[in-house]
Amino acid sequence: MALIEIPASKGNAALVKKGQSVKLINTHGTQVVDLWAFNSADSSEFLSFPHTHTQTEHVIPKIGDVMVTNRRRPILTLVEDTSPGVHDTQCAACDRYRYELLGVTGFHDSCSDNLTAALSALGLTASHTPQPLNTFMNIPIDENGKIAFKPTVSKAGDYVVLRAEMDLAIAFSCCPQDIVPINGPDCTPVECHFEIA
Amino acid sequence: MALIEIPASKGNAALVKKGQSVKLINTHGTQVVDLWAFNSADSSEFLSFPHTHTQTEHVIPKIGDVMVTNRRRPILTLVEDTSPGVHDTQCAACDRYRYELLGVTGFHDSCSDNLTAALSALGLTASHTPQPLNTFMNIPIDENGKIAFKPTVSKAGDYVVLRAEMDLAIAFSCCPQDIVPINGPDCTPVECHFEIA
């Protein structure tokens, strides 16, 4: 079990066999990590939160929840979570359009571009950027359905463990968001790590 | 302004010019209508709720909310809503996989197939079925993030009006769900209507 780095503001991906587990570690505790999964034999089948919501009846996955694809087949089960369980399934991956709207001119890393690059390194493509599991992202929803953007509440070394329910490609992006303080109040993206067992 | 029918358990779609308004009427009050919108010049750009959530900071669109595409450009504004405002953006369109899991053997209409057929009639295709705006669908989320499937709370004749913010194709499906009582306790899908002004 070698620790694999997800560099600050960048992505990474790996092939995982059915039955293997993926441990994603929030090395510094402050970092949001976008997570996607694709059927490694057919990337038009992917982890889908609209379908998962219907199946698990939970907005945010809880331990034991079996997440499903856009064909409603099991793809990942959340088996461990040492963080307070605060993750997000409401907000799209950041992309160049998000940074343009935030006033950035010129290039800015984005989770969406990181997904494209990470999949490409495995020889895979995606028709679009599916809704990620935004691990450790703190997006509270109040009783009126109002969303807020808050810093993570995880601590250094917190991790989630996910079991692969099919042969899949898992992709991560250490969110490069440095304007809205989702990666901690100092808005400094940092690296995280994962391992496959 | 001619009333156009969305037949029970079926779909329909229309081209709408920027600035025109679409009025969707829940004719019998009990029917969930899945709604999608696509840039009519490039269907790889579509109404996206993950992007809209980030932009509006509301889980369910409220009057005045400008919904955006996967390129974060305005596509539809909710300008009127005579219903109690109970709609859904959490659950995927139903599809053959959903009905298989509910025990259906053989063919069953689905919102996902209805979208494909309705777009096809306009000469358009979609790479996948985006998360719809499930108008009038009553999917309460409790304080623990638990989702429930409840009958609609709209009354006969309730309507929403949406303004097109770009030239677009709008597609609807009168949800054919007749097993889970989202379309009223008697589980009978019925027709709805829309008009373009």
Side-chain angles (χ1 to χ4, degrees):
Chain A
M1 291 205 303
L3 272 188
I4 303 168
E5 184 177 345
I6 312 163
S9 298
K10 299 293 181 183
N12 209 339
L15 296 172
V16 184
K17 288 285 179 192
K18 179 176 175 174
Q20 287 188 309
S21 289
V22 181
K23 182 177 185 176
L24 170 65
I25 304 160
N26 201 338
T27 309
H28 300 280
T30 56
Q31 181 62 44
V32 169
V33 184
D34 287 28
L35 180 159
W36 300 266
F38 296 82
N39 175 342
S40 55
D42 175 4
S43 63
S44 73
E45 183 172 17
F46 52 85
L47 169 61
S48 168
F49 280 98
H51 295 83
T52 295
H53 290 150
T54 302
Q55 214 65 22
T56 63
E57 301 187 359
H58 292 144
V59 169
I60 300 170
K62 295 182 188 297
I63 292 172
D65 276 356
V66 181
M67 294 170 255
V68 300
T69 70
N70 54 325
R71 289 174 207 153
R72 303 190 194 257
R73 298 198 306 152
I75 185 164
L76 284 174
T77 299
L78 180 61
V79 291
E80 253 189 290
D81 185 353
T82 69
S83 81
V86 174
H87 311 291
D88 171 65
T89 66
Q90 298 301 308
C91 293
C94 64
D95 46 35
R96 69 182 182 87
Y97 312 105
R98 172 76 164 144
Y99 292 105
E100 283 169 11
L101 289 169
L102 289 171
V104 173
T105 55
F107 181 78
H108 194 289
D109 285 310
S110 74
C111 287
S112 192
D113 285 352
N114 288 344
L115 171 65
T116 303
L119 285 181
S120 176
L122 298 179
L124 298 174
T125 57
S127 69
H128 69 293
T129 301
Q131 167 71 53
L133 175 59
N134 295 311
T135 58
F136 311 110
M137 191 176 184
N138 182 8
I139 305 293
I141 303 172
D142 77 10
E143 63 278 15
N144 297 314
K146 182 86 173 70
I147 285 171
F149 290 78
K150 300 286 187 184
T152 53
V153 291
S154 50
K155 61 185 185 308
D158 270 345
Y159 61 85
V160 294
V161 178
L162 302 148
R163 185 176 63 236
E165 304 296 351
M166 63 170 65
D167 291 354
L168 58 83
I170 196 156
F172 303 103
S173 171
C174 275
C175 181
Q177 179 60 263
D178 53 2
I179 301 165
V180 178
I182 57 164
N183 292 314
D186 62 351
C187 290
T188 304
V190 290
E191 79 284 7
C192 289
H193 296 83
F194 70 102
E195 57 186 9
I196 299 170
Chain B
M1 291 204 305
L3 274 187
I4 303 168
E5 186 178 344
I6 312 163
S9 299
K10 298 292 181 183
N12 208 340
L15 295 172
V16 184
K17 288 285 178 192
K18 180 177 176 174
Q20 287 188 309
S21 289
V22 181
K23 182 178 185 175
L24 170 65
I25 305 160
N26 199 339
T27 309
H28 300 280
T30 56
Q31 181 61 46
V32 169
V33 184
D34 286 30
L35 181 159
W36 300 266
F38 296 82
N39 176 343
S40 55
D42 175 3
S43 62
S44 74
E45 183 173 16
F46 53 83
L47 167 60
S48 169
F49 280 97
H51 295 82
T52 294
H53 290 150
T54 303
Q55 214 64 22
T56 63
E57 300 186 0
H58 292 144
V59 169
I60 299 171
K62 296 183 188 295
I63 291 172
D65 277 355
V66 180
M67 293 169 257
V68 301
T69 69
N70 53 324
R71 291 175 206 153
R72 303 191 195 255
R73 300 198 305 152
I75 185 164
L76 285 173
T77 299
L78 180 60
V79 292
E80 253 188 289
D81 185 355
T82 69
S83 81
V86 174
H87 310 291
D88 170 66
T89 67
Q90 298 301 308
C91 294
C94 64
D95 47 35
R96 69 182 183 88
Y97 312 105
R98 172 76 163 143
Y99 292 106
E100 283 168 11
L101 288 170
L102 289 171
V104 172
T105 55
F107 181 77
H108 195 291
D109 285 311
S110 75
C111 287
S112 192
D113 284 353
N114 288 344
L115 170 66
T116 303
L119 286 180
S120 175
L122 299 178
L124 298 173
T125 56
S127 70
H128 69 293
T129 301
Q131 168 71 54
L133 175 58
N134 294 312
T135 58
F136 311 111
M137 192 175 185
N138 182 10
I139 305 291
I141 302 171
D142 77 11
E143 65 277 15
N144 298 313
K146 181 85 175 69
I147 286 172
F149 290 79
K150 300 285 189 184
T152 53
V153 293
S154 52
K155 59 186 187 305
D158 270 346
Y159 61 85
V160 294
V161 178
L162 302 148
R163 185 175 64 235
E165 303 297 350
M166 64 170 67
D167 293 353
L168 59 85
I170 196 157
F172 302 104
S173 171
C174 275
C175 180
Q177 179 58 264
D178 53 4
I179 301 165
V180 179
I182 57 164
N183 292 311
D186 61 352
C187 289
T188 304
V190 290
E191 79 282 8
C192 287
H193 294 84
F194 71 101
E195 58 186 9
I196 299 170

